[in-house]
Every structure is written in C-alpha cells, then in structure tokens.
Amino acid sequence: MTGWQIAPVPGRGLHRTHDGELALPLQISSGGQYRAIAELELTPNQAEQLHAALCYALGGQQPPDDAPECRQLVRYPGGRQRY
C-alpha cells in the first residue's frame, strides 16, 4: 500500500475526550486525495510514554527557536546543558 499518508489535521489539535483520554485528529490520504479523518486516542499513561520516547529521540538535536518550552535548553551552573 504505497502512497498512503497520515498527518495531523491542520487547525485541529490534541484534545481530551469525555473519558479523560487524549485524542489527536489525523487525516488519511492516498494518491494525493483525502480519504478520512481518524483520531489517535491515548490514555494519559500512553501519552506520557510517547512524550518520553519523543524527547529521547529529539534529545540530540538542537531545538528550533519556536520549540515548546519543554524543548528549550536548560542552563545549569558550570556550563552543562540539558533539554
């Protein structure tokens, strides 16, 4: 199945569901044509695990200027830097 793409829906961000889960709307397309919108639902624990995995994966890269606060450099006494 080549040509399929899944991406966040522009203008629709992460939100909480009525039962406290987190939901990210994703648009599914193939061959350049929109097919459907589906939501990736995560429990708070799953969201924490994903967050940790993404932070680990991005840890070696310099954050862009407009990155969220949690990705900004933290300066420690003695010159050590951490994300």
Side-chain angles (χ1 to χ4, degrees):
M1 288 204 292
T2 61
W4 287 90
Q5 294 183 333
I6 300 174
V9 177
R12 291 182 56 190
L14 186 72
H15 63 275
R16 285 201 179 268
T17 65
H18 65 280
D19 56 355
E21 291 191 344
L22 297 154
L24 178 63
L26 299 171
Q27 71 181 20
I28 303 165
S29 59
S30 69
Q33 258 188 311
Y34 161 81
R35 301 293 179 187
I37 291 178
E39 289 192 337
L40 172 63
E41 290 188 6
L42 301 166
T43 65
N45 187 45
Q46 290 169 324
E48 286 289 347
Q49 290 175 358
L50 177 59
H51 179 258
L54 290 170
C55 285
Y56 180 78
L58 292 169
Q61 297 179 2
Q62 189 75 356
D65 292 336
D66 61 347
E69 183 179 333
C70 66
R71 283 277 289 141
Q72 297 302 319
L73 288 174
V74 175
R75 301 214 183 268
Y76 291 93
R80 188 172 65 127
Q81 295 181 10
R82 299 198 68 154
Y83 294 95

